[in-house]
């Protein structure tokens, strides 16, 4: 059953008593056919079909060195570690993620404004964009934990109030992504079905979910069915490679038990025409460093 929410119809019910699948109600590529941009027509068609677009070299080796040095600086800074925007591993107490990096660091702020990123985001979403979320993810070797299977949109819709599937993420590798060190996995085609998860959202759920996802987690049965239907694609690549993926793509990553670290910068661009409202399935909004309320277009 759909409900109205601040005059916006909830097209994607979730966090109810039972798990429910809803066919996607939104376009995948929002720009008009033939719109010029850095993504070719064939690549856009592939993104439409599979929900992702991989780029072997988005950043040059020199650029990677700059961003990797900044990541290392942030992770080593005691002030950053003490900041609420830093999330630490429950067991090792190592930094897992640092959020809102485009406001913490001018180096990463420049990356957000990079036309190579902005033009791709605008081309996919068909409008100007703002940053819904930015973070660095750090997976040092020897035991860094993974991120369980999930659709980002399920959380952004339920807990941040993002109305429609008009957001796109990019994960940029700052270290080499092997097939063994906890790389990104996506189920190709899964973005075409919304999986509404079972169970109410606890208050301040983000404090637990950023360390270990619980609410908003698909069932084993649903994941088994989805993986059987769509398969699983593992992304590998040199530092500087990037993967763009749709906000509703089912994805996750495994633990890193190798000696080889895996670190990446993760940026979420949302259409300015899809600004967040109140949460659709949570008692309160998440903090703005996780789900932005500044909808100013990036230029």
């Amino acid at each position: 059953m759909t409900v109205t929410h601040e005059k916006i119809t909830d097209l994607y019910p979730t966090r109810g008593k039972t798990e429910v699948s809803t066919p996607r109600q939104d376009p995948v590529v929002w720009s008009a056919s033939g719109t010029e941009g850095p993504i070719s027509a064939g690549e856009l068609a592939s993104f439409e079909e599979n929900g992702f677009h991989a780029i072997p070299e988005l950043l040059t080796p020199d650029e990677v060195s700059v961003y990797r040095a900044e990541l290392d600086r942030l992770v080593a800074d005691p002030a950053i570690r003490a900041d609420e925007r830093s999330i630490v591993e429950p067991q090792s107490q190592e930094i897992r993620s640092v959020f809102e990096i485009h406001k913490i660091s001018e180096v990463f702020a420049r990356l957000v404004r990079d036309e190579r990123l902005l033009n791709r985001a605008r081309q996919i979403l068909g409008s100007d964009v703002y940053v819904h979320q930015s973070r660095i993810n750090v997976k040092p070797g020897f035991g860094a934990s993974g991120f369980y299977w999930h659709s980002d949109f399920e959380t952004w819709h339920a807990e941040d109030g993002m109305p429609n599937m008009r957001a796109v993420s990019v994960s940029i590798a700052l270290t080499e992504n092997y097939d063994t060190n906890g790389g990104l996995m996506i189920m190709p085609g899964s973005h075409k079905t919304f999986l509404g998860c079972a169970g109410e959202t606890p208050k301040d759920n983000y404090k637990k979910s950023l360390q270990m996802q619980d609410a908003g987690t698909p069932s084993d049965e649903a994941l088994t069915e989805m993986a059987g239907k769509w398969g699983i694609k593992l992304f590998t690549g040199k530092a500087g490679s990037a993967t763009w993926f749709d906000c509703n793509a089912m994805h996750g990553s495994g633990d890193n038990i190798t000696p080889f670290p895996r670190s990446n910068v993760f940026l979420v661009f949302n259409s300015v025409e899809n600004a967040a409202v109140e949460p659709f399935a949570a008692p309160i909004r998440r903090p703005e460093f996780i789900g932005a309320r500044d909808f100013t277009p990036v230029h």
Side-chain angles (χ1 to χ4, degrees):
M1 181 180 70
T2 59
V3 297
T4 56
H5 181 82
E6 291 192 352
K7 298 182 180 179
I8 297 176
T9 300
D10 182 0
L11 299 175
Y12 302 105
T14 189
R15 310 284 174 99
K17 292 182 179 180
T18 59
E19 205 170 48
V20 58
S21 292
T22 303
R24 186 184 184 110
Q25 305 294 300
D26 294 304
V28 177
V29 176
W30 289 74
S31 58
S33 178
T35 300
E36 292 187 4
I39 307 175
S40 71
E43 290 168 337
L44 276 180
S46 178
F47 184 87
E48 172 93 33
E49 179 66 22
N50 296 305
F52 60 81
H53 171 52
I55 303 172
E57 186 178 310
L58 180 71
L59 303 181
T60 67
D62 287 344
E63 289 173 318
V64 168
S65 296
V66 171
Y67 293 120
R68 177 62 189 273
E70 181 68 353
L71 179 148
D72 292 342
R73 183 190 72 81
L74 292 173
V75 171
D77 186 341
I80 297 298
R81 182 183 179 85
D83 194 296
E84 67 172 345
R85 291 172 288 189
S86 291
I87 310 300
V88 299
E89 291 275 1
Q91 295 181 342
S92 69
Q93 293 299 299
E94 296 288 337
I95 286 183
R96 174 183 175 91
S97 302
V98 180
F99 282 80
E100 213 171 44
I101 53 163
H102 68 297
K103 293 189 176 181
I104 291 175
S105 162
E106 178 53 36
V107 173
F108 283 113
R110 291 197 299 270
L111 179 62
V112 165
R113 297 191 298 266
D114 191 310
E115 290 297 315
R116 291 170 296 181
L117 298 176
L118 285 180
N119 287 339
R120 284 179 168 88
R122 291 168 181 150
Q123 189 178 5
I124 292 170
L125 302 179
S127 69
D128 280 334
V129 298
Y130 72 92
V131 177
H132 177 73
Q133 187 184 101
S134 71
R135 68 176 186 262
I136 48 175
N137 288 332
V138 183
K139 270 193 181 179
F142 299 116
S145 57
F147 293 84
Y148 197 68
W149 290 106
H150 64 286
S151 154
D152 286 328
F153 179 76
E154 193 280 335
T155 298
W156 300 338
H157 184 69
E159 300 185 40
D160 297 339
M162 185 180 289
N164 295 95
M165 295 179 183
R166 199 172 179 179
V168 65
S169 302
V170 59
S171 176
I172 306 171
L174 299 182
T175 55
E176 183 156 0
N177 282 224
Y178 301 101
D179 58 3
T180 53
N181 64 341
L184 174 68
M185 296 181 288
I186 293 178
M187 295 185 187
S190 60
H191 62 302
K192 296 180 180 180
T193 302
F194 176 76
L195 184 65
C197 298
E200 291 186 3
T201 309
K203 186 178 180 181
D204 290 340
N205 178 56
Y206 76 94
K207 294 180 179 178
K208 179 181 179 183
S209 68
L210 295 179
Q211 292 181 326
M212 188 62 67
Q213 185 84 359
D214 189 9
T217 302
S219 68
D220 291 353
E221 292 78 11
L223 289 171
T224 299
E225 181 179 347
M226 294 171 78
K229 181 178 181 180
W230 291 306
I232 296 173
K233 165 72 173 176
L234 170 65
F235 292 88
T236 59
K238 300 286 188 182
S241 61
T243 304
W244 291 84
F245 58 101
D246 181 82
C247 60
N248 189 48
M250 188 63 68
H251 66 287
S253 63
D255 296 350
N256 182 14
I257 62 172
T258 75
F260 310 116
R262 176 184 176 263
S263 299
N264 68 307
V265 54
F266 179 81
L267 306 173
V268 180
F269 295 101
N270 190 28
S271 169
V272 295
E273 299 173 15
N274 191 41
V277 293
E278 291 304 311
F280 285 86
I284 59 172
R285 300 176 183 174
R286 297 195 299 176
E288 291 192 26
F289 68 83
I290 302 173
R293 294 282 158 175
D294 179 356
F295 309 131
T296 305
V298 181
H299 292 293

